[in-house]
Amino acid sequence: MADLAIDPRTELNPPLVKGAEGYGDVTDQISVITEQKPPKQWYMAMGVALPLLGLLGICLTYLVSTGIGVWGNNNPVGWGWDITNFVWWIGIGHAGTLISAILFLFRQRWRTSINRAAEAMTLFAVACAAIYPLFHTGRPWRAAYWLFPIPNEYLHIWQNFRSPLMWDVFAVSTYGTVSALFWFVGLIPDLATLRDRAKSPVRRYIFGILSLGWRGSASQWRHYELAYLILAGISTPLVLSVHSIVSFDFATSVLPGWHTTIFPPYFVAGAVFSGFAMVLTLLVLVRWVYSLQNLITIKHLENMCKVMLATGTIVGFAYGTEFFIAWYSANQYERFTFMNRAFGPYAWAYWTMLLCNVVSPQFFWFKKIRTSIPAMFVLSIFINIGMWFERFVIIATSLHRDFLPASWGYFRPTWVDIGTFVGTIGLFLTLFLLFIRFLPAIAVSEVKGVLHHQISTEKGGH
Amino acid sequence: MVTSLFAKLGLPGYEVNGKQPKHFGVIGDFDTPEDLLRAIRTARAAGYTKMEAYSPFPVHGVDEALGEPRSPLGKIVMVCGLTGLALAVALQWWTGAVDYKLVIAGKPLFAVEPSVPIMFELSVLLAAFAAVLGMFHLNRLPTYYHSFFNYSRSAGASNDRFLLAVEAADPRFNADQVKNFLDSCGSRHTELVEA
């Protein structure tokens, strides 16, 4: 009889940690990745990432030594690929914070297998994003005086805090800082695990310093857990504020196509959408290369697909609403901008965006696709591309034809634009590869907590 | 050095006893969180008060069993968050309406509405630093030397073991009795640990 009966509990909630007999197995499986020589796929990926990083160096050196005229930005499209890439990268970061903070507050236990890698991704994405506004100033070594209210003898003025661009500076720098703090706090117990496992004195010394002498005592956990909860609590409104404020850069202007109140929620949904796509793209590969199928289960991946389905549908709905409001406003400039978006010179970009962002997530209605790794991998890449095009469409199509037809133009990227964008992908991949090589890519102590819950549930407790 | 300075000032948490005890205490090693909890409850019932549990993940119920009070971190974070808020108001008002008055698009020099985003961001920034640095302070991190690490199996606490220390500072502490006691609770390896 036993083999016929299916426990309804496990049927509805498949275990989140598979194949681990005890806590020690979890420690071993995750720590060993950082202790052994990386697999050959890691070197292959580094072989792709490092030349791209070099390209970023070349492009930025050329930009600084020549001037920002080497980018394609010009009147009327004063914001080109740089701000497109900035918004794209910031958006990607949002999934990390959503997973680490919001899903933590909602007690979504499945987050523990993916939060560490997603948070790392957030940090690296914010680092990539920061490059664009910094280098758009043309003189990045002076940018700190322009961006932050630092008293100095060379400007004798203060920033205009009534400008959304200043809000953006504060939002993005706060976001980067808080994400780094959150990530490090989460790492402390795992760094202590690596310290205690270290065979070589150098390793023990490095992880000893980094783990700050963590002992895992009950009194430490008490403050630690509250600190973690507070960080999750304040990161939740923070992550929602960041892309809202990024959207204010556009929404507070008077330009048709930008001047809309729908932007904050629409940008946040899009950010989460693109971020989950990036997390999925990366984790499918990491899971495969390091055989983490028992910790990052199909259930984790399926849940991520569901989040993409939900946020992708919100984004699609927002596109429709924008069009409707443009028509309903009876404002001819507004109407023109949207007709121009769909049928003007950038129609190719618009329809690419629509295909990737609205059509592709709809496949996730089918369980077969949600649980098929090749299918979700391909769809996640389509979503990454689509979300890049969304930002490009918003920026370029609104700017290139404004109120005065005499000033109309068409934006074309230069090789430096393309090189810088591809270069930041190289930077992102390099940082991510170094992260999975040297730090625990899955939160060891948190997974053990989930395993403990699982063990006590199986025993019939709770 | 800072610790000895603080000890002279007599600040709470930094007192140093006149004579240093020779031993840190006795540490026992348990298989599961449930065994640990049972041992703590038995030890409390037996009258031990100065105890510390070590585990690879937070075990719920341990704080209550050990009789630990609620962490004061929330208050620290609240104060710092409000400081951030006040700082943001002062910064935007003073730079815009006092030190460098510049009328832009006929907007008021200072108003609450455009100041809200930075008020929010600075509150969050200072609150986050308070949460992390406050946690470090309450946990005395970084502490690179601690007697706990003299226990031969201290590494288990970051892997898969659940440790219970009855400290030498406990008024009822007697090394042999505590050893026997922890063994009787199911400890796999009990050891008297040097200070």
Side-chain angles (χ1 to χ4, degrees):
Chain A
M1 273 310 282
D3 53 333
L4 289 175
I6 298 165
D7 182 357
R9 224 169 26 201
T10 40
E11 180 72 351
L12 285 173
N13 293 313
L16 293 171
V17 184
K18 287 180 183 166
E21 292 294 315
Y23 308 114
D25 297 339
V26 179
T27 313
D28 288 340
Q29 197 188 350
I30 301 168
S31 308
V32 152
I33 296 172
T34 71
E35 288 160 353
Q36 283 176 346
K37 275 218 160 108
K40 66 173 191 300
Q41 291 99 326
W42 187 88
Y43 288 104
M44 281 154 63
M46 256 315 191
V48 175
L50 285 177
L52 296 182
L53 181 62
L55 180 64
L56 178 68
I58 291 167
C59 288
L60 292 181
T61 310
Y62 181 59
L63 175 109
V64 170
S65 56
T66 316
I68 57 164
V70 301
W71 278 346
N73 311 9
N74 209 333
N75 279 333
V77 184
W79 279 359
W81 276 33
D82 53 343
I83 304 300
T84 302
N85 297 338
F86 164 75
V87 181
W88 188 68
W89 278 121
I90 286 283
I92 283 172
H94 277 49
T97 322
L98 184 107
I99 292 167
S100 58
I102 301 182
L103 296 186
F104 178 77
L105 294 183
F106 285 145
R107 295 280 182 265
Q108 295 294 304
R109 289 178 183 279
W110 60 276
R111 72 180 263 292
T112 51
S113 293
I114 56 171
N115 70 336
R116 172 71 45 72
E119 283 170 34
M121 188 201 72
T122 296
L123 283 180
F124 307 147
V126 172
C128 290
I131 284 176
Y132 292 99
L134 199 64
F135 280 85
H136 200 169
T137 64
R139 282 156 184 69
W141 58 94
R142 283 189 173 178
Y145 295 111
W146 299 328
L147 299 176
F148 295 100
I150 303 170
N152 63 83
E153 284 298 308
Y154 119 86
L155 283 173
H156 296 289
I157 57 172
W158 291 111
Q159 285 83 1
N160 172 24
F161 286 101
R162 288 156 286 175
S163 159
L165 296 177
M166 273 312 284
W167 309 343
D168 209 9
V169 169
F170 276 76
V172 171
S173 53
T174 301
Y175 182 52
T177 312
V178 174
S179 303
L181 288 172
F182 202 2
W183 186 63
F184 180 67
V185 166
L187 265 172
I188 293 171
D190 293 357
L191 293 171
T193 302
L194 291 183
R195 170 200 67 199
D196 292 342
R197 289 172 58 91
K199 298 274 189 297
S200 80
V202 179
R203 241 183 112 78
R204 186 157 47 230
Y205 188 77
I206 292 171
F207 285 111
I209 297 274
L210 289 176
S211 64
L212 308 173
W214 176 259
R215 302 188 295 280
S217 69
S219 55
Q220 287 188 326
W221 279 121
R222 181 167 63 100
H223 300 304
Y224 177 92
E225 279 198 287
L226 187 59
Y228 202 89
L229 178 66
I230 289 171
L231 283 174
I234 59 180
S235 297
T236 297
L238 177 65
V239 66
L240 299 179
S241 85
V242 175
H243 233 58
S244 297
I245 291 175
V246 169
S247 81
F248 290 164
D249 291 347
F250 305 99
T252 57
S253 73
V254 292
L255 194 71
W258 285 7
H259 186 66
T260 78
T261 49
I262 199 180
F263 265 20
Y266 156 31
F267 267 52
V268 172
V272 173
F273 183 48
S274 67
F276 267 85
M278 187 59 98
V279 177
L280 194 81
T281 310
L282 293 175
L283 282 186
V284 163
L285 294 175
V286 170
R287 176 182 188 266
W288 169 63
V289 170
Y290 291 101
S291 311
L292 295 169
Q293 282 85 348
N294 62 323
L295 294 175
I296 303 171
T297 64
I298 205 80
K299 159 119 173 150
H300 292 98
L301 300 176
E302 193 190 345
N303 281 356
M304 285 197 266
C305 292
K306 285 179 183 169
V307 174
M308 279 190 274
L309 173 59
T311 48
T313 309
I314 295 173
V315 167
F317 182 69
Y319 295 159
T321 310
E322 268 190 325
F323 247 86
F324 172 77
I325 295 294
W327 167 77
Y328 190 67
S329 70
N331 178 315
Q332 56 165 325
Y333 296 106
E334 196 75 26
R335 283 185 181 178
F336 170 77
T337 298
F338 280 87
M339 290 309 281
N340 182 52
R341 235 177 229 188
F343 306 107
Y346 285 108
W348 59 275
Y350 184 80
W351 294 102
T352 308
M353 166 192 97
L354 220 62
L355 198 70
C356 292
N357 286 353
V358 183
V359 178
S360 62
Q362 299 309 317
F363 287 105
F364 290 135
W365 284 109
F366 304 102
K367 190 164 176 102
K368 222 179 197 131
I369 291 173
R370 282 204 307 271
T371 50
S372 151
I373 287 167
M376 68 172 82
F377 184 72
V378 169
L379 286 172
S380 77
I381 287 178
F382 270 110
I383 293 167
N384 284 321
I385 296 169
M387 283 309 293
W388 187 88
F389 270 101
E390 180 195 297
R391 279 60 176 260
F392 178 73
V393 162
I394 291 172
I395 291 169
T397 67
S398 306
L399 283 171
H400 89 123
R401 288 183 172 178
D402 64 0
F403 304 99
L404 195 65
S407 66
W408 285 4
Y410 190 83
F411 173 83
R412 275 185 189 84
T414 64
W415 70 268
V416 189
D417 275 306
I418 300 166
T420 314
F421 175 53
V422 177
T424 47
I425 295 177
L427 172 66
F428 180 78
L429 285 179
T430 308
L431 291 169
F432 194 79
L433 287 166
L434 289 174
F435 157 72
I436 43 176
R437 170 69 186 85
F438 293 108
L439 291 170
I442 293 180
V444 183
S445 72
E446 290 188 39
V447 171
K448 286 178 196 164
V450 170
L451 185 62
H452 175 233
H453 179 81
Q454 202 169 292
I455 291 170
S456 43
T457 315
E458 275 164 17
K459 278 182 190 161
H462 294 293
Chain B
M1 206 193 82
V2 178
T3 317
S4 60
L5 192 72
F6 277 23
K8 277 186 191 136
L9 294 170
L11 291 172
Y14 286 97
E15 300 97 347
V16 174
N17 298 335
K19 57 172 176 49
Q20 289 290 319
K22 248 186 92 189
H23 298 293
F24 167 67
V26 171
I27 302 184
D29 182 0
F30 297 89
D31 286 336
T32 67
E34 289 73 25
D35 291 343
L36 174 73
L37 268 175
R38 213 171 298 122
I40 295 171
R41 292 202 183 105
T42 323
R44 287 266 285 183
Y48 293 110
T49 48
K50 288 283 289 177
M51 287 185 293
E52 186 66 281
Y54 301 87
S55 58
F57 56 88
V59 177
H60 291 279
V62 162
D63 287 351
E64 293 79 3
L66 286 171
E68 298 261 13
R70 211 182 135 73
S71 171
L73 191 61
K75 287 171 197 146
I76 298 173
V77 171
M78 190 58 155
V79 170
C80 291
L82 291 175
T83 309
L85 184 72
L87 194 69
V89 174
L91 173 74
Q92 297 183 80
W93 166 77
W94 185 76
T95 57
V98 179
D99 196 48
Y100 188 73
K101 292 178 190 163
L102 188 65
V103 177
I104 295 163
K107 289 179 222 163
L109 293 174
F110 177 79
V112 173
E113 295 87 341
S115 311
V116 166
I118 293 178
M119 281 156 65
F120 173 76
E121 299 299 336
L122 281 188
S123 309
V124 165
L125 185 66
L126 266 72
F129 271 106
V132 176
L133 298 180
M135 186 270 280
F136 283 0
H137 172 73
L138 293 168
N139 280 341
R140 301 287 183 270
L141 293 177
T143 302
Y144 288 119
Y145 176 78
H146 193 275
S147 309
F148 163 72
F149 293 115
N150 293 334
Y151 178 54
S152 61
R153 296 191 180 182
S154 65
S158 68
N159 184 15
D160 58 351
R161 307 299 299 172
F162 302 85
L163 313 183
L164 178 63
V166 177
E167 292 174 11
D170 194 296
R172 290 175 54 94
F173 185 80
N174 172 308
D176 293 332
Q177 277 179 17
V178 174
K179 258 179 150 174
N180 290 335
F181 175 78
L182 288 178
D183 281 337
S184 72
C185 290
S187 162
R188 301 283 176 198
H189 177 85
T190 316
E191 194 176 300
L192 179 63
V193 177
E194 301 285 321

